[in-house]
Amino acid sequence: MVRTDSGYGAIVATPLGKLGLSVSGNVLTGLDFLEPDIPEHFPSDPVTEAALIQLQAYFADPKTMFTLSLLPQGSPFQKRVWQALCFIPSGSTVSYGMLAKELNTSARAIGGACRANPLPIFIPCHRVVAKHSLGGYSGAMEGAQLDIKAWLLQHEAQGARKS
């Protein structure tokens, strides 16, 4: 999802472009890919600052484990899928169909839950791919969003090769 509005705890430039981080209380609730002309602003609270530090560590080393408290808003089914995504190791992928079989659902339902993920990168939906292609990312089947997915997978693959 690409947004242009503000109201974020931070807006930061990353190798993927501008990211907006949202918090509620002591938990991270959202990460959005933003338009490039949105002005940066740095963390205004400790949770957002911790999220930014962990993102920077991930961009330096894709094996970095995220330890933030996350509060993704979604249905019980979506939350079950998002929880499963967190167990896919960096540098690995799983197909929509394989994950669907594991969770006793359909590949389309897995794709829908991935598309609704409010915390991409932190909840690694980019690690779910189609049987013979990358699949989609954040609801897109081509363009900038799919380029982000490809970048994340390549970044993690390079980190896995360094092990």
Side-chain angles (χ1 to χ4, degrees):
M1 169 186 288
V2 178
R3 289 187 154 166
T4 57
D5 58 306
S6 195
Y8 294 100
I11 297 174
V12 295
T14 72
L16 301 173
K18 300 270 180 77
L19 300 179
L21 300 169
S22 302
V23 298
S24 178
N26 292 325
V27 295
L28 188 66
T29 58
L31 180 148
D32 293 313
F33 300 100
L34 305 176
E35 296 295 332
D37 59 343
I38 300 291
E40 281 187 89
H41 74 81
F42 293 98
S44 56
D45 62 85
V47 175
T48 309
E49 185 174 349
L52 177 57
I53 289 168
Q54 289 187 25
L55 272 175
Q56 290 169 331
Y58 168 80
F59 288 128
D61 178 2
K63 293 177 291 214
T64 297
M65 300 289 291
F66 295 115
T67 60
L68 297 164
S69 293
L70 306 176
L71 186 61
Q73 297 298 307
S75 71
F77 173 77
Q78 289 170 332
K79 290 178 182 181
R80 186 166 64 106
V81 172
W82 300 336
Q83 184 176 11
L85 298 177
C86 292
F87 290 101
I88 305 169
S90 178
S92 299
T93 60
V94 64
S95 73
Y96 294 99
M98 287 175 58
L99 189 57
K101 185 179 281 188
E102 182 179 316
L103 296 178
N104 197 27
T105 190
S106 72
R108 185 176 299 269
I110 297 296
C114 288
R115 181 174 31 262
N117 178 5
L119 287 159
I121 304 173
F122 292 103
I123 298 175
C125 55
H126 60 276
R127 296 178 188 156
V128 183
V129 297
K131 189 173 183 179
H132 299 293
S133 71
L134 285 180
Y137 192 61
S138 296
M141 296 300 292
E142 60 184 29
Q145 294 301 101
L146 208 56
D147 292 344
I148 289 170
K149 182 174 186 170
W151 189 94
L152 289 166
L153 292 173
Q154 182 177 4
H155 176 61
E156 292 181 358
Q158 288 173 343
R161 284 193 292 271
K162 291 178 185 175
S163 297

